[in-house]
Amino acid sequence: MAKRLIPVLLLLLLAVGIQTLIPLISGELTIANPYLAVLVTLAMRGGRLGGVVWGTFLGLVSDAYFSPYIGFHGMTFCVIGYLLGWLGSKLLITGILPMAFFAWGAYVADATAVAGLYRLLGLPLASPFWISVLLGSLITATLAAIFELPARRLFRKGHP
Amino acid sequence: MDLKPAARRPEVLLILIVLGLFMLLTLQVRRGGQSVLGNMALAAFGPLLSAYDSASRLTREGFQAYVWQKNAALEAERLAAENRVLQGRLELSRPLEKEVLTLRDLVNAPKPQGYEVLGARALTQYGAPFSRYLLVSCDSRYFIPEGTPVMGPGGAVGRIQGTSGSLHKVILLTDPSSAVGVVSERSGVKGVAVGKGSDMDVRWISNEMDVRVGDQFTTSGEDGVFPQGLRVGTAVSVQDGGDYLKKITMAPAVQMDELTWVLLMRKTGG
């Protein structure tokens, strides 16, 4: 169990490090969500259950960091993690580009779902929303591609 | 859809989590984000946020300190290189500064009436050990007749003895064949200064005359070459001679071996 957690912790540390250093490059880049990139990496290898668990955890972490309310990203990440876990168990996907694509899609899906929930609950949305989503999804896709490189070595022997 | 209960565990978990979080969100939003659950979540994630903030600040500050230090090191390196260049320029400018001071002295020196002055660059001394000559360069457009007196910063230097284009040969006052009429500024005693190589003798002054060590001698103007009033030197040794004439040694007023610029004093009019 501990051996399985160490790679995950390393990836989380990498995510925290990237999130910390990104503002040094540009404040615009903080729109990226490195935890979603980590979720793609973990869920594609962890199956449905792993996707749900890691999605909930990373979503709540994202909520704690990014959202004024707890639960938006927790909910969407949970669903996204489940779907990615299901995809990962059905398809054999190892490339960096597919991971980036899934991360891009996951970011757009997360943003759409959260925006829908905001509308549903009568909360105001920041604008320009979709331009920000596009930029954030591209950076998150890049981060997912970056995370995939160490993940290949870290998860060589087992799944999270 | 006839999956076993264990296989359906992820879906059940997913539905429970989604429903739970949706309820949680609804409660939070209804209470303006200040729900008990929200506060509990904040309390749960508070340490994480705090740790994140600390890590973030630490990393950012550390990185900024690293960047600052790196920039400071690069700046120091750049400044050191600039310093070396400036030191080189300073070394090059020192002779120029000396030259400028010399020229200023020359320009500010009182000019005798009836003469026009032309600047000439002192190139080199030669003729030692038998003679003391100075080669100077002046604009070849000017005609410089032989015998033209030459003045340096501080006083008389010598006179022109030969010309070739822009180059002129100056026989220095310290040359053994050079002689110039001098007068003591203090007592008005007149004599003739004759070169001895590095210094000069003042001759033809009887033992009765009032001459002391430290007396300043200037040109008397009676030799027909040098205008009156140019400083020639200072008496450094005065003795009565057995032939009724004083033996006076005089140090030249101008440091002949440090000349860089001189003035050629050409007679005007008649």
Side-chain angles (χ1 to χ4, degrees):
Chain A
M1 183 67 181
K3 279 186 181 177
R4 287 183 178 185
L5 274 178
I6 286 170
V8 178
L9 285 174
L10 287 174
L11 278 181
L12 283 173
L13 276 175
L14 188 61
V16 170
I18 286 176
Q19 196 188 12
T20 308
L21 293 175
I22 266 184
L24 296 176
I25 303 166
S26 169
E28 297 284 324
L29 300 180
T30 51
I31 201 160
N33 193 331
Y35 304 106
L36 186 57
V38 172
L39 174 64
V40 173
T41 308
L42 296 179
M44 291 298 283
R45 290 173 166 84
R48 287 174 299 163
L49 188 61
V52 168
V53 172
W54 288 120
T56 307
F57 172 71
L58 290 168
L60 289 174
V61 172
S62 290
D63 276 324
Y65 289 156
F66 303 121
S67 175
Y69 302 101
I70 303 296
F72 278 116
H73 292 292
M75 200 163 24
T76 52
F77 275 37
C78 177
V79 177
I80 288 167
Y82 172 79
L83 291 173
L84 288 171
W86 177 77
L87 267 176
S89 62
K90 297 289 178 190
L91 307 169
L92 187 64
I93 298 166
T94 54
I96 289 172
L97 281 178
M99 288 295 181
F101 174 74
F102 284 130
W104 176 82
Y107 190 97
V108 174
D110 171 62
T112 309
V114 172
L117 284 169
Y118 262 63
R119 283 287 166 89
L120 196 67
L121 295 168
L123 297 170
L125 276 175
S127 67
F129 180 71
W130 291 110
I131 294 172
S132 305
V133 169
L134 185 67
L135 179 67
S137 62
L138 290 174
I139 303 167
T140 306
T142 310
L143 289 178
I146 292 169
F147 287 145
E148 182 59 18
L149 294 170
R152 281 180 178 183
R153 287 180 174 274
L154 291 170
F155 298 118
R156 195 179 286 170
K157 289 182 180 175
H159 294 298
Chain B
M1 292 299 289
D2 54 346
L3 291 169
K4 291 176 183 176
R8 270 192 242 123
R9 208 186 305 161
E11 286 78 14
V12 173
L13 189 63
L14 173 70
I15 290 163
L16 285 175
I17 288 170
V18 168
L19 285 174
L21 288 174
F22 190 74
M23 279 179 65
L24 181 67
L25 274 174
T26 312
L27 286 170
Q28 284 177 85
V29 174
R30 274 192 178 178
R31 297 187 183 191
Q34 297 297 318
S35 66
V36 177
L37 285 170
N39 289 338
M40 281 171 64
L42 187 63
F45 283 106
L48 200 60
L49 278 168
S50 174
Y52 162 75
D53 185 54
S54 301
S56 169
R57 199 170 51 243
L58 201 70
T59 312
R60 193 179 296 118
E61 285 172 1
F63 188 72
Q64 280 170 349
Y66 166 75
V67 169
W68 182 84
Q69 277 194 342
K70 194 178 173 187
N71 285 344
L74 287 173
E75 184 70 7
E77 205 171 308
R78 190 184 65 77
L79 285 173
E82 199 174 320
N83 195 24
R84 281 194 292 274
V85 171
L86 287 174
Q87 275 180 343
R89 283 186 189 164
L90 191 65
E91 288 300 321
L92 288 173
S93 71
R94 274 186 186 135
L96 289 174
E97 184 191 4
K98 198 175 171 184
E99 210 168 307
V100 166
L101 290 172
T102 306
L103 283 169
R104 194 178 67 183
D105 289 346
L106 282 172
V107 168
N108 292 336
K111 310 295 183 308
Q113 291 290 324
Y115 287 86
E116 64 172 347
V117 292
L118 301 167
R121 189 174 188 89
L123 299 177
T124 181
Q125 282 193 58
Y126 67 103
F130 306 105
S131 305
R132 293 291 186 274
Y133 299 129
L134 175 70
L135 191 67
V136 300
S137 171
C138 179
D139 197 329
S140 57
R141 287 176 301 170
Y142 300 111
F143 170 69
I144 310 294
E146 277 206 20
T148 298
V150 179
M151 183 183 157
V157 168
R159 64 179 189 279
I160 298 290
Q161 203 182 44
T163 296
S164 171
S166 63
L167 297 176
H168 309 281
K169 175 184 162 189
V170 179
I171 180 165
L172 296 175
L173 294 179
T174 49
D175 185 273
S177 65
S178 172
V180 55
V182 292
V183 58
S184 166
E185 273 188 342
R186 185 182 61 79
S187 61
V189 173
K190 291 180 180 175
V192 176
V194 179
K196 266 200 332 183
S198 59
D199 50 17
M200 291 173 279
D201 281 340
V202 183
R203 296 180 186 170
W204 314 114
I205 295 177
S206 69
N207 286 341
E208 285 77 34
M209 295 299 178
D210 179 19
V211 178
R212 300 175 202 163
V213 171
D215 279 359
Q216 305 273 351
F217 284 90
T218 56
T219 50
S220 63
E222 290 176 358
D223 52 23
V225 175
F226 287 92
Q228 191 181 356
L230 295 180
R231 187 155 286 176
V232 177
T234 308
V236 291
S237 161
V238 180
Q239 289 174 342
D240 288 342
D243 52 357
Y244 304 105
L245 294 174
K246 282 185 181 295
K247 293 186 183 302
I248 303 169
T249 304
M250 182 169 65
V254 179
Q255 292 291 319
M256 305 293 186
D257 51 353
E258 291 180 3
L259 287 169
T260 50
W261 285 88
V262 293
L263 294 179
L264 311 182
M265 290 184 288
R266 196 168 61 167
K267 276 185 182 167
T268 56

